[in-house]
Amino acid sequence: MSASSAFNDEKGGSSSVGEPEYGHDPASGGIFSSDYKRHDDLKEMLDSNKDSLKLEAMKRIVAMIARGKNASDLFPAVVKNVACKNIEDPNQLIRASALRVLSSIRVTIIVPIMMLAIKEAASDMSPYVRKTAAHAIPKLYSLDPEQKDQLIEVIEKLLADKTTLVAGSVVMAFEEVCPERIDLIHKNYRKLCNLLIDVEEWGQVVIINMLTRYARTQFLNPNMNESLLEEGSGGDRTFYGSDEDEDEDEEEKEKKAETPAMAKRKPYVMDPDHRLLLRNTKPLLQSRNAAVVMAVAQLYFHLAPKAEVGVIAKALVRLLRSHSEVQYVVLQNVATMTIKRRGMFEPYLKSFYIRSTDPTQIKVLKLEVLTNLANETNISTILREFQTYIKSMDKDFVAATIQAIGRCATNIGEVRDTCLNGLVQLLSNRDELVVAESVVVIKKLLQMQPEKHSDIIKHMAKLTDNIQVPMARASILWLIGEYCEHVPKIAPDVLRKMAKSFTNEEDIVKLQIINLAAKLYLTNSKQTKLLTQYVLNLAKYDQNYDIRDRARFIRQLIVPTEKSGALSKYAKKLFLALKPAPVLESPFKDRDHFQLGSLSHLLNAKAGGYQELPDWPEAAPDPSVRNVEVPEWTKCSSREKRKEKKVEKPFYSDSEGESGPTESADSGNFSWLLSDSASGSESGSGSEESASRSESEESEDGSESEEEEEEEEEEKEKKKKKKELKKPVQESERKCSFHANVYQPSLYNWALVSMTLHLVLCLQTIAPSSALKNYELLHRITGEGLSVEYCFSRQPFSPDANMVAVQMQFTNNATADTKNLHIEDVKLQSGMRVKEFSEIELLPAGETATAVMGIDFCDSTQAANFQLCTHTRKFFVSIQPPVGELMRPVFLTENEFKKEQGQLMGMNEITEKLTLDMKCRNEHTIVQRVTTAANLSRVPCGSDKEFAGRTVSSSSLVLVTVATKEEGAAQLTVNCEKMVIGTMLVKDILLALTQ
């Protein structure tokens, strides 16, 4: 009786379908040991719907393996039975774990099973399972590349996923499997940009790197008109403070000021999708993850206009406080950036000063950065720093410092003699390595002006008796031979000494001794003929074949014989030809062809899997490929969104369908009187604008005509409800229009003018923060759920009139309460003061609280740095004011203004000519833009538009005049007791009037 029939008899039943019908147990070997058909019955049992048959098959397979039998062809069937049940488990964690285990089995015969599991998981309801499916795609691709087409279909499906949990993983799979298929990214580009801020950190790194390469293929080079842009203008801007570009029109912001050279060239206008990428990645510069910050930095370096690249400098400097491993990577990239973008790191020069505790590799990289940043302005400071480094006990670091001094002398001619004299002084150093390195560097510097430094050459010739480092001895000998005509008495004596020690010298020194002998033979054969023959005879029998060959070659060249060729006639020209001075270049000069932050850039060699950074296209590809068609069923929701946006518009508006600039210009600084919620729509406009542009632009255009009637009915009902509330506001509008006409003294007497303007100033002073620009102090991601915004309220700070009032709004986005909100560890520049806000004891989840603090910026735009503390965490934050917020408005009559202006002439007056923007050529708009840029008040009855104010801290007078001429021409004049304030104010007002 067979084992299977015996097993069935014990169970009391007959054999069922799928059981083996042959008479031998497959586990027993026998006649079936070499026949693979014996496993067919086990496969049928494993494929059966009955658990009892599957269990029996598994027992037999285990018995086969225990006896050493080959059961590998049953592996797929076993895996399918083990994994499939778990893949269909109701628990998402078990489903994901089953897929993870299945994809980790590196056996090709289960590829079909793995592919089915991935496809099923890609449609799973759980985003965690879909994320695991994305992780499994590269594993399957590496196991069987022939599955690429099917995997691309899964990637395309997962790229359309709208959850942040999946985004980073599927982009990683895209990069591994099909990075060349950028057509898969087109439709998902805007979605990825908008999701980026909420993706987990390592996903952000992958997405940013991918979008960097994508942007290089789809957008034009923003620096295509590089010669017309001002180099390094972005270095003065910071990202921790305000970014005034955010609130301006996106297209207007990208237009460059016209110059005569641009009259023939079409000005560059940045693609809105290009701007979307830059705007959405910028907040990530404040990420806690150094890799994210580095990814954003490389994106800005490769994609941003030169004027905007400077925002990454402060973020990268912040990373220098991290571990040495992070510092090493960051400094490698900073060293590359400083070659082409020196200006943006110059304000942070001291951040690259070397500490005694730094590892050698960090010291060398900081030296590289300091050398790249050296210019005529800061070279004296840098050389003093280098002078300190030479005293270090780290010999490798000292050698690198001497090389850095040589590079500074090469790049900056004004300090060449100073550096050369300093290096000559090092020749008397007790340390032989310092002397040797100095000799090598001096040799390179002397090649630039040898005739001026014969004394130095003589001094170096005396060192041959003491210096034993081969490279240094070789450098001295080369220098004496090359300029032997400048030291005709010393050179033969040096050759005599070298001939004595020839056999004991290193090979590099022997070669230079031969060269020295040849040059002296050609210039002073009377004294050196016998010495030269002696040296050549020694070299003829040297052990090194290079030295023997050199000796034979030189003998035939300089000692003419009958066998000598025609070349010997030109021996003197060959040996004593003028040689170009060596160029001391940075080793990071050409590294920027690698993508910054990559392993290839770090190693300066192409690493496996590296993808080249594409070149910019000559013509812009079609931007419509990134437009997304919105399905019909979503049009209803898009209509509701548009209605919600309309609710967020100013509550009292006579023309709700029109754009805002004209209305705001007519109302001047009093728009807050006409709107209860204007700032609400403004604060959210950035993300809503990009979202609508990327996802529902076409839908809105297509359905607007169908919904006009319905919207008109809603508007009529809304206007009926607001009719009575509108009356007092219309009265306030008439008061505001009076503000525009009050400057005509023929209509109103001076008493009325004074009272009205006094009222206007009071109204401006008490303007609520909702009409003012908000700045981000702490992002909700960085703050772990706590977000903080602040604005300069332009209200007097009651505890101290010399402080600027800063209103802060705290929002708790976390699920837990936040307690004990307060400020600690305030770090200020000299003279600055801070009045802290009262501690907020409790901020419940989902709630918002406001507080006001006072800061005396001491009439400077230096940042106030401090720690914002909760009961569990501390966050380093910074508040940096625009120059216009350092002022308070004052009332002056026309005569008083002219009198004060006359006393602030000469160096206290700055005048700039400008061309006003087309939308900024009426009086009301000019007034509105100037008073938005600076907290000033209008001077009544002036022939030009005149504004006055005083600085909050020192009460220094600030006077601004905008004189308009024909065709938009204008002249801006700023008179200020403090020239620095005046210079910065001119810059901000020019920007406000021209964009």
Side-chain angles (χ1 to χ4, degrees), residues 385-637:
E385 194 72 14
F386 286 174
Q387 192 173 1
T388 306
Y389 299 160
I390 291 173
K391 301 174 184 177
S392 172
M393 299 299 293
D394 187 342
K395 301 308 174 187
D396 293 334
F397 172 49
V398 172
T401 303
I402 295 173
Q403 293 173 8
I405 293 174
R407 277 183 53 199
C408 290
T410 304
N411 299 334
I412 306 171
E414 291 82 352
V415 297
R416 187 171 299 153
D417 292 340
T418 304
C419 294
L420 197 53
N421 293 333
L423 291 172
V424 170
Q425 292 177 11
L426 292 178
L427 296 179
S428 59
N429 195 290
R430 294 181 180 179
D431 193 327
E432 186 179 356
L433 290 176
V434 173
V435 176
E437 196 65 43
S438 301
V439 168
V440 175
V441 175
I442 289 173
K443 170 225 171 187
K444 295 177 181 178
L445 294 180
L446 287 181
Q447 285 183 257
M448 298 178 182
Q449 295 175 320
E451 65 281 354
K452 295 184 179 180
H453 304 291
S454 58
D455 293 339
I456 297 177
I457 297 175
K458 293 177 183 178
H459 180 67
M460 293 178 67
K462 298 177 184 178
L463 297 174
T464 53
D465 295 334
N466 302 321
I467 293 182
Q468 299 302 322
V469 178
M471 180 58 73
R473 292 174 68 83
S475 297
I476 294 175
L477 293 175
W478 183 93
L479 206 58
I480 294 172
E482 186 68 18
Y483 305 112
C484 56
E485 296 176 355
H486 297 285
V487 285
K489 296 181 180 180
I490 296 177
D493 193 51
V494 172
L495 179 60
R496 179 182 61 81
K497 292 181 180 180
M498 291 296 105
K500 286 183 179 181
S501 61
F502 183 87
T503 55
N504 299 322
E505 299 288 350
E506 294 288 335
D507 291 343
I508 188 173
V509 181
K510 289 179 181 179
L511 290 173
Q512 292 305 324
I513 293 174
I514 297 172
N515 287 341
L516 174 62
K519 292 175 183 177
L520 288 176
Y521 182 88
L522 295 171
T523 58
N524 189 5
S525 61
K526 184 177 179 179
Q527 284 184 286
T528 59
K529 182 176 181 179
L530 294 176
L531 275 173
T532 302
Q533 291 178 355
Y534 176 70
V535 169
L536 292 177
N537 287 333
L538 290 175
K540 182 179 179 180
Y541 300 103
D542 195 87
Q543 293 181 347
N544 188 293
Y545 57 83
D546 287 332
I547 296 174
R548 297 196 301 269
D549 291 346
R550 178 73 63 89
R552 294 189 188 100
F553 167 72
I554 288 179
R555 186 188 294 274
Q556 293 296 320
L557 198 60
I558 66 174
V559 183
T561 62
E562 294 180 358
K563 297 181 180 179
S564 299
L567 196 62
S568 61
K569 299 178 183 179
Y570 306 100
K572 195 167 185 177
K573 290 184 178 180
L574 288 172
F575 279 100
L576 301 176
L578 288 175
K579 300 175 180 62
V583 179
L584 302 179
E585 293 182 338
S586 169
F588 292 86
K589 182 180 179 182
D590 298 321
R591 282 204 191 183
D592 59 342
H593 67 278
F594 291 117
Q595 186 173 354
L596 295 188
S598 64
L599 179 62
S600 298
H601 174 268
L602 192 71
L603 301 176
N604 198 23
K606 187 173 181 180
Y610 173 74
Q611 299 177 38
E612 296 284 351
L613 194 64
D615 294 327
W616 293 102
E618 295 182 0
D622 182 14
S624 64
V625 295
R626 289 182 291 278
N627 294 338
V628 180
E629 294 183 3
V630 181
E632 286 291 330
W633 62 271
T634 62
K635 291 184 178 180
C636 178
S637 60

Side-chain angles (χ1 to χ4, degrees), residues 913-929:
K913 293 182 179 179
L914 66 148
T915 301
L916 294 172
D917 182 70
M918 291 297 295
K919 298 179 181 180
C920 185
R921 296 189 178 179
N922 62 74
E923 181 175 342
H924 303 310
T925 307
I926 293 174
V927 173
Q928 188 264 339
R929 293 200 180 186

Side-chain angles (χ1 to χ4, degrees), residues 99 117-124 129-130 133 154 157-158 161:
L99 179 59
I118 290 175
K119 287 183 176 180
E120 185 177 346
S123 303
D124 197 281
V129 177
R130 299 198 298 273
V154 180
K157 181 178 182 179
L158 290 174
D161 201 303

Side-chain angles (χ1 to χ4, degrees), residues 644-698:
E644 292 176 2
K645 290 183 185 177
K646 287 182 177 294
V647 174
E648 291 180 353
K649 289 183 178 180
F651 190 77
Y652 302 110
S653 176
D654 292 331
S655 56
E656 292 184 5
E658 297 178 359
S659 59
T662 306
E663 297 173 6
S664 63
D666 293 339
S667 59
N669 280 342
F670 304 99
S671 58
W672 62 274
L673 286 172
L674 309 180
S675 171
D676 290 338
S677 60
S679 66
S681 61
E682 185 175 342
S683 64
S685 61
S687 59
E688 289 179 3
E689 180 183 357
S690 61
S692 63
R693 182 167 61 246
S694 61
E695 295 183 5
S696 60
E697 186 175 2
E698 293 184 2

